[in-house]
Amino acid sequence: MTLPTYENSRKLPHIAGLILIVIAFVVTVLHLTRNNGYVVHLDQQVFVGPTGSNDGNKSTNRRCDLFSGKWVYDDVSYPLYKEKECSFMENGFACEKYGRQDLKYQNWRWQLHHDHCELPSMFNGTTLLEKIKGKKLIYVGDSLLRNQWRSMLCLIESSLSSNKSLKTAGNLAYLHANEYNASIGFYWSPMLVASSGDNVDTHESSRGITVRVESIEEHGRHWLDADILIFDAFAWWMGHKLTILWGSFGNPNATQKKLDKSLRPLEMALSTWSDWLEMNINRTRTKLFFMSLSPFHYTGETWEEKQNCYNQTEPILKEGYWGAATSRVVMRIVESTIRKLEKRGVKVEYLNITHLSDNRKDAHPSIYRKFPYMISAERLANPKSYSDCMHWCLPGLPDVWNQILYSYIINS
């Protein structure tokens, strides 16, 4: 329908004007919800997604907000696997192995608010592998996404044959399930675009990171044939001093500019990423996902003065909690990029796990992990000083992220 112009509408009676406003509002809502019922509420950070189902069957027409719920203690259904029984476990996430005694962090279930909505509590690895039979699924990002990838491997391991091993090819590590001809991989690209942190083994970043914000092709060619891509890009953009490089590494004629506390480089990098997707992705075949910010729980948190995740054994059960280190501004940059991409015909599902994760101050490794560096005696005497309050223990929170991802994949 064609709405009256402003010049004509201002001549209408007052009631008619109100009707026009209502119609415009309805049209806007219909526009926002035309693709799978997704509505973006920036203030609440909510995205509405498909209903989860325990059996992997197609859901009804009713929609569920998979990101609105509460944490419920459940020592019957959880954990979904045992740490010691997962051969894919990484020492940075193996908290029980490295001395953590309190294991309640493994037993919290994400319960959705709506009565007709339920996450697939019994993650069915066989169902997932059947769904991605003959396909390639790749997580692309930093160590937090590697955290989630390891979780996925642990979740599906019981559905695999005894012949299973990880393979590596440069920045790509992957598991190939021969009986399903399916691959589930992780590609190390912490900034998405090219950076000095791209070396898998030696990505020392204490002195800052140099980023080529206009270069992504070298990474992207490794994702080109993927059927499902899951991205993230938050932690390294928020925690490092940045130098922007125009040109190649080692080129004396390249232009550089140091930036401090600027988010403009992230916008530029996401623009490069968007352009690459628009030009290269098969829109009818490849499913795209973007994980929202995974919260940190370092100093300055509000549950206790100057406290971090060390010695925390209970989640925050207050709904609506927003951590001190959880940046709304950075999240909105990513969300804006995804909305612009959709207008260009490229659909990216934004999995907003930030709020549900912010409550889980109990779920970080803290001191219970293998660290990639030596810890001084002075720091050892003060456990809070070296606690890992960024990554997550497994089994644990990333399993819930994968349950949500599983729900999207199975119901697609």
Side-chain angles (χ1 to χ4, degrees), residues 144 234 291-296 353-354 357 364 390 392 397 401:
L144 286 162
F234 287 100
M291 305 302 299
S292 73
L293 187 152
S294 174
F296 316 148
I353 49 82
T354 303
S357 303
H364 295 287
M390 176 186 295
W392 307 94
L397 177 63
W401 300 351

Side-chain angles (χ1 to χ4, degrees), residues 33 42 49 101 106 151 169 256 263 269 282 297 359 365 391:
T33 59
L42 283 180
Q101 299 295 313
Q106 300 180 359
S151 159
Q256 297 188 38
L263 294 176
N282 184 329
H297 292 107
N359 292 72
H391 300 98

Side-chain angles (χ1 to χ4, degrees), residues 122-267:
M122 298 306 293
F123 185 102
N124 193 318
T126 302
T127 300
L128 177 68
L129 288 165
E130 287 287 352
K131 184 72 175 181
I132 65 170
K133 191 171 185 177
K135 297 180 179 180
K136 182 181 293 185
L137 181 156
I138 302 179
Y139 294 84
V140 179
D142 55 29
S143 58
L144 286 162
L145 210 60
R146 189 176 72 237
N147 205 165
Q148 185 178 354
W149 171 65
R150 292 285 183 177
S151 159
M152 178 62 84
L153 297 183
C154 292
L155 285 166
I156 67 168
E157 182 167 14
S158 62
S159 301
L160 298 171
S161 67
S162 57
N163 183 20
K164 56 195 177 187
S165 62
L166 294 182
K167 301 178 181 179
T168 58
N171 285 29
L172 179 65
Y174 64 96
L175 167 75
H176 187 75
N178 293 324
E179 59 268 49
Y180 298 95
N181 189 29
S183 294
I184 299 179
F186 168 75
Y187 186 90
W188 172 259
S189 180
M191 319 285 287
L192 294 184
V193 293
S195 78
S196 59
D198 287 342
N199 188 293
V200 175
D201 300 313
T202 58
H203 46 264
E204 173 58 43
S205 57
S206 60
R207 297 180 180 179
I209 296 293
T210 300
V211 186
R212 296 175 63 198
V213 292
E214 296 179 341
S215 177
I216 196 172
E217 288 78 11
E218 179 60 28
H219 288 323
R221 66 186 181 89
H222 297 282
W223 324 326
L224 194 58
D225 60 344
D227 300 277
I228 302 172
L229 284 169
I230 305 104
F231 296 96
D232 84 336
F234 287 100
W236 280 52
W237 289 101
M238 296 170 63
H240 302 293
K241 295 179 179 179
L242 300 178
T243 298
I244 307 306
L245 176 69
W246 288 272
S248 59
F249 292 110
N251 183 350
N253 297 318
T255 303
Q256 297 188 38
K257 183 175 182 179
K258 293 184 182 296
L259 294 174
D260 186 25
K261 297 181 179 180
S262 171
L263 294 176
R264 178 57 184 153
L266 173 58
E267 294 176 326

Side-chain angles (χ1 to χ4, degrees), residues 303-410:
W303 66 78
E304 187 175 336
E305 185 66 22
K306 296 183 180 179
Q307 184 58 278
N308 67 10
C309 70
Y310 174 67
N311 209 27
Q312 299 296 322
T313 60
E314 298 287 336
I316 300 168
L317 298 180
K318 178 183 178 182
E319 294 186 36
Y321 172 77
W322 193 277
T326 306
S327 172
R328 299 172 190 255
V329 176
V330 174
M331 291 180 68
R332 284 183 175 129
I333 290 174
V334 173
E335 291 161 1
S336 175
T337 300
I338 290 173
R339 288 199 302 275
K340 291 175 183 177
L341 255 178
E342 184 172 1
K343 292 179 180 179
R344 293 156 65 179
V346 180
K347 178 63 177 175
V348 180
E349 305 286 10
Y350 182 70
L351 303 191
N352 195 340
I353 49 82
T354 303
H355 274 310
L356 66 90
S357 303
D358 227 347
N359 292 72
R360 295 305 308 277
K361 63 184 175 66
D362 60 310
H364 295 287
S366 181
I367 63 173
Y368 304 108
R369 57 159 293 178
K370 181 178 181 180
F371 288 90
Y373 48 82
M374 293 295 294
I375 300 172
S376 66
E378 180 181 2
R379 296 187 72 191
L380 285 172
N382 180 16
K384 287 197 297 184
S385 69
Y386 68 95
S387 288
D388 180 351
C389 298
M390 176 186 295
H391 300 98
W392 307 94
C393 298
L394 294 179
L397 177 63
D399 303 329
V400 176
W401 300 351
N402 279 323
Q403 283 178 282
I404 293 172
L405 176 64
Y406 171 88
S407 181
Y408 275 80
I409 293 174
I410 295 303

